[in-house]
C-alpha cells in the first residue's frame, strides 16, 4: 500500500470517529461495557463522590470546615476518574472541532450554578447521582436505585414545567449577550495538534501510576474513554428522562437503556459468580453499589437531583463532558456541585439522617428478596417498558410538551 | 429562499435551543422558513431527529464563522 493510501485510510478512520456525532446507543453500549470493566477491576462507575472529592480538597487547602482524612485528588480513584472524563471530552471536542468556550447569557449562568448546587444536595442526600445511583446502581440490582430512578423522573417533570413557564413568562432570562471564543478555525489544525498533545499527556499520566497504584492507571484510561465516548455520542441521562416529555424524541433514552442492559448482564455475572472475591468477601462484592438509601433517602435525593440536572441542562456525566467541550454554563454547574457537596454532607445530610428512621434508609439488594433471576427479570421488564413507552410516546406525542 | 424569522440561540446549551425552536415553530405557517443561529454542537445531532419526528424540513445546516452553526428549517 502506498504512503498516500495509508494516509487517506487513517484520515478516513479519524473522520469516522470525529467527523459526525455517534448515535447515542453506540455510546450507551460502549459505556456499558467499560462500566463492567471498571467493576471487574475495582468497582463500578460513579461521579458525585469524585466531584465531592474536588470540593473537599479545595476546602482543605483553604482551611475551611476543618475537614479530616481528605484524600488528595491525585490519589482518589473517583476524583481522578471524573477529572479524566473532562480531559477525554476535551480531546473528543478538539478532534471534532466541537470545542469552543461558550459564555451564555447571565440568566443561563445563574441556572447553571443553581442546578449544580441542587445536584450536590440531591447526590449527598440520595447517596449517588445519575451515574452511581442510576446508571451503575440499577444494574447492581439495588432496590434504592430503582426508587432513585423514579424520583429522578419526578424531579425532571417538575423542573421541565418550570423551564417552560420561564420561557413563556420571562424569555429574556435565557437571552441576551453571549460570547464564543477559541472555536476551531479553518481545518482546525491547532485544535487537532492540542488534542494529540492531550492524548500523549493521558498516556504519560496513566504510565506514571503503573509502579505505585496500578488500579489508577486503568481509572485514568477508562475515565478518558468515558469522556471521549460521552462527548462523541452526546450521552446524557437528563436527556434520556427529559426529551421524551419535551420534544418527544427517544434517541437519548434508547442510548441509556442500551447501556443499562449491557451493564446488567456484566454486573449480574460479577455478583452471581463472585468475580473478584479473592480481594473481598462474596457478600461485600454482592453489595457493591447497593447504598443505604432505600427508600426515602433515594426518593428525596432523586427528586432534588432531577430538578437540579434539568435546570443545569446536564446530569453528572453530562456536566463533566460539557465542561470539557467548553460550555461555561456547565462549568458553573460543576463549581456549584463541588462547592456544595461537602457543605451538604456536613450540615444537611446529618439533619435528614436524624429525621428518617432506619427503615427508610437501608441497603436493599433485590436478590435478597426475589432472587437473582427475579431481580434480573424485574430490571429487564422496567427497561423494556421504558423503551416501549418512549417509542410509543414518540409516535403519539401523548406525553410531550411540544 | 425567503427567511420568515430568525431565532438567535447563540450561547445557549441543551435544552434551551430545542425548546425555543419548538415554541417558535408553533407560531409559523406551513412553508415558512426559520433561520436558527446557535453554538451548541448538540443541536446539530438533535435537529435531524427532531425534523424526522415533526415532519419539518431541515433545508440547510452550515458552520459559519465564530463557532456558529446556521440552520434553515421549513415548516411542513
Amino acid at each position: 500500500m502506498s504512503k498516500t493510501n495509508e494516509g487517506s485510510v487513517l484520515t478516513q478512520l479519524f473522520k469516522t470517529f470525529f467527523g459526525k456525532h455517534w448515535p447515542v446507543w453506540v455510546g450507551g453500549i460502549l459505556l456499558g461495557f467499560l462500566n463492567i470493566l471498571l467493576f471487574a477491576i475495582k468497582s463500578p462507575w460513579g461521579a458525585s463522590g469524585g466531584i465531592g472529592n474536588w470540593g473537599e480538597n479545595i476546602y482543605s487547602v483553604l482551611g475551611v470546615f476543618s475537614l479530616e482524612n481528605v484524600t488528595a485528588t491525585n490519589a482518589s480513584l473517583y476524583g481522578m476518574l471524573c477529572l479524566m472524563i473532562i480531559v477525554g471530552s476535551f480531546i473528543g471536542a478538539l478532534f471534532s472541532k466541537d470545542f469552543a468556550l461558550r459564555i451564555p447569557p447571565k440568566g443561563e449562568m445563574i441556572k447553571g450554578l443553581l442546578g449544580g448546587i441542587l445536584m450536590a444536595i440531591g447526590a449527598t442526600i440520595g447517596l449517588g447521582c445519575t451515574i452511581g445511583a442510576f446508571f451503575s446502581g440499577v444494574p447492581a440490582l439495588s432496590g434504592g436505585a430503582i426508587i432513585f430512578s423514579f424520583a429522578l423522573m419526578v424531579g425532571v417533570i417538575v423542573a421541565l414545567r418550570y423551564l417552560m413557564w420561564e420561557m413563556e413568562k420571562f424569555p429574556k432570562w435565557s437571552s441576551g449577550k453571549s460570547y464564543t471564543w477559541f472555536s476551531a478555525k479553518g481545518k482546525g489544525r491547532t485544535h487537532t495538534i492540542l488534542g494529540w498533545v492531550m492524548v500523549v499527556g493521558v498516556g504519560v499520566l496513566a504510565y506514571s501510576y503503573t509502579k505505585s497504584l496500578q488500579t489508577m492507571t486503568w481509572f485514568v484510561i477508562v475515565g478518558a474513554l468515558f469522556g471521549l465516548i460521552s462527548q462523541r455520542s452526546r450521552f446524557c441521562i437528563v436527556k434520556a428522562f427529559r426529551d421524551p416529555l419535551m420534544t418527544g424524541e427517544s434517541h437519548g433514552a434508547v442510548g441509556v437503556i442500551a447501556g443499562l442492559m449491557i451493564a446488567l448482564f456484566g454486573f449480574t455475572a460479577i455478583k452471581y459468580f463472585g468475580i473478584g472475591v479473592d480481594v473481598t468477601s462474596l457478600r461485600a462484592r454482592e453489595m457493591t453499589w447497593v447504598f443505604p438509601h432505600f427508600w426515602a433517602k433515594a426518593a428525596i435525593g432523586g427528586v432534588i437531583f432531577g430538578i437540579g440536572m434539568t435546570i443545569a441542562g446536564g446530569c453528572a456525566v453530562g456536566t463533566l463532558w460539557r465542561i470539557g467541550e467548553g460550555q461555561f454554563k456547565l462549568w458553573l454547574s460543576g463549581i456549584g456541585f463541588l462547592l456544595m457537596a461537602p457543605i451538604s454532607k456536613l450540615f444537611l445530610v446529618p439533619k435528614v439522617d436524624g429525621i428518617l428512621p432506619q427503615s427508610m434508609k437501608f441497603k436493599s439488594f433485590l436478590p435478597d428478596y426475589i432472587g437473582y433471576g427475579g431481580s434480573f427479570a424485574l430490571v429487564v421488564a422496567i427497561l423494556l417498558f421504558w423503551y416501549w413507552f418512549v417509542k410509543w410516546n414518540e409516535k403519539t406525542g401523548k406525553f410531550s410538551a411540544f | 429562499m425567503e427567511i420568515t424569522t430568525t431565532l438567535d440561540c447563540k450561547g445557549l446549551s441543551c435544552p434551551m435551543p430545542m425548546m425555543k425552536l419548538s415554541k417558535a415553530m408553533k407560531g409559523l405557517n406551513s412553508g415558512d422558513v426559520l433561520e436558527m443561529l446557535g453554538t451548541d454542537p448538540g443541536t446539530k445531532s438533535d435537529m435531524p431527529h427532531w425534523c424526522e419526528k415533526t415532519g419539518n424540513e431541515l433545508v440547510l445546516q452550515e458552520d459559519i464563522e465564530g463557532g456558529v452553526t446556521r440552520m434553515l428549517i421549513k415548516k411542513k
Side-chain angles (χ1 to χ4, degrees), chain A residues 35 44-46 130-141 145 260 263 267 288-289:
Chain A
N35 204 1
W45 190 8
T130 39
I131 296 299
F134 171 70
F135 196 66
S136 295
V138 170
L141 306 175
L260 285 168
F267 281 26
T288 306
W289 259 230

Side-chain angles (χ1 to χ4, degrees), chain B residues 8-41:
Chain B
D8 185 356
C9 291
K10 294 198 290 286
L12 298 180
S13 58
C14 183
M16 298 315 290
M18 295 311 291
M19 279 183 84
K20 289 198 168 202
L21 173 70
S22 300
K23 187 182 172 231
M25 289 299 281
K26 277 196 166 182
L28 298 184
N29 298 314
S30 180
D32 285 352
V33 176
L34 181 141
E35 178 189 46
M36 185 176 177
L37 302 170
T39 52
D40 180 22

Side-chain angles (χ1 to χ4, degrees), chain A residues 4-283:
Chain A
T4 318
N5 282 342
E6 276 178 17
S8 66
V9 166
L10 290 176
T11 306
Q12 282 302 319
L13 185 66
F14 189 84
K15 275 187 183 170
T16 303
F17 283 114
F18 301 106
K20 280 186 178 177
H21 293 137
W22 309 348
V24 196
W25 61 267
V26 171
I29 289 173
L30 292 173
L31 294 170
F33 276 118
L34 281 176
N35 204 1
I36 297 169
L37 178 68
L38 213 59
F39 191 5
I41 294 165
K42 172 81 178 167
S43 44
W45 190 8
S48 60
I51 301 172
N53 169 268
W54 303 348
E56 287 169 358
N57 273 277
I58 287 172
Y59 287 128
S60 181
V61 168
L62 295 174
V64 185
F65 302 133
S66 313
L67 295 170
E68 288 173 4
N69 303 322
V70 175
T71 309
T73 296
N74 65 355
S76 160
L77 289 173
Y78 286 92
M80 285 301 289
L81 188 80
C82 288
L83 201 62
M84 296 316 293
I85 291 173
I86 296 177
V87 173
S89 162
F90 184 47
I91 292 169
L94 285 169
F95 282 158
S96 58
K97 296 199 280 182
D98 278 347
F99 181 81
L101 183 57
R102 301 171 179 90
I103 314 286
K106 275 182 202 161
E108 288 298 294
M109 289 200 257
I110 294 167
K111 276 192 281 181
L113 187 67
L114 188 66
I117 290 171
L118 287 172
M119 281 196 277
I121 296 171
T124 45
I125 293 175
L127 297 177
C129 58
T130 39
I131 296 299
F134 171 70
F135 196 66
S136 295
V138 170
L141 306 175
S142 158
I146 305 286
I147 301 290
F148 192 87
S149 313
F150 283 101
L152 279 177
M153 182 62 90
V154 173
V156 169
I157 292 168
V158 171
L160 188 55
R161 280 182 172 270
Y162 163 75
L163 287 179
M164 293 187 64
W165 173 83
E166 182 206 290
M167 194 173 68
E168 204 63 48
K169 302 282 181 191
F170 302 99
K172 285 188 175 172
W173 287 7
S174 53
S175 54
K177 274 203 165 180
S178 66
Y179 305 91
T180 304
W181 295 318
F182 310 120
S183 58
K185 293 194 172 48
K187 288 184 176 177
R189 281 183 64 86
T190 316
H191 280 212
T192 308
I193 292 165
L194 182 57
W196 284 117
V197 171
M198 296 301 294
V199 170
V200 173
V202 170
V204 170
L205 184 66
Y207 181 76
S208 73
Y209 283 102
T210 49
K211 289 204 170 72
S212 56
L213 186 58
Q214 287 88 350
T215 312
M216 186 67 93
T217 300
W218 284 92
F219 270 60
V220 165
I221 295 166
V222 172
L225 288 172
F226 275 151
L228 190 138
I229 293 165
S230 300
Q231 195 278 333
R232 296 313 303 135
S233 62
R234 310 203 74 75
F235 182 88
C236 182
I237 287 159
V238 65
K239 191 177 177 63
F241 281 98
R242 181 199 60 215
D243 281 9
L245 305 174
M246 191 177 83
T247 54
E249 287 164 76
S250 68
H251 63 284
V254 171
V256 171
I257 293 167
L260 285 168
M261 199 67 101
I262 295 292
L264 178 66
F265 277 90
F267 281 26
T268 306
I270 288 173
K271 292 193 172 201
Y272 184 80
F273 292 107
I275 297 167
V277 284
D278 54 324
V279 289
T280 179
S281 74
L282 175 60
R283 185 60 181 163

Side-chain angles (χ1 to χ4, degrees), chain A residues 325-339:
Chain A
E325 200 179 65
Q327 309 266 14
F328 191 69
K329 179 184 179 185
L330 281 306
W331 288 25
L332 292 169
S333 302
I335 289 168
F337 198 135
L338 72 90
L339 291 180

Side-chain angles (χ1 to χ4, degrees), chain A residues 138 141 264 365-381:
Chain A
V138 170
L141 306 175
L264 178 66
F365 183 48
L366 291 173
D368 288 345
Y369 307 96
I370 50 176
Y372 269 96
S375 308
F376 188 89
L378 175 69
V379 175
V380 169

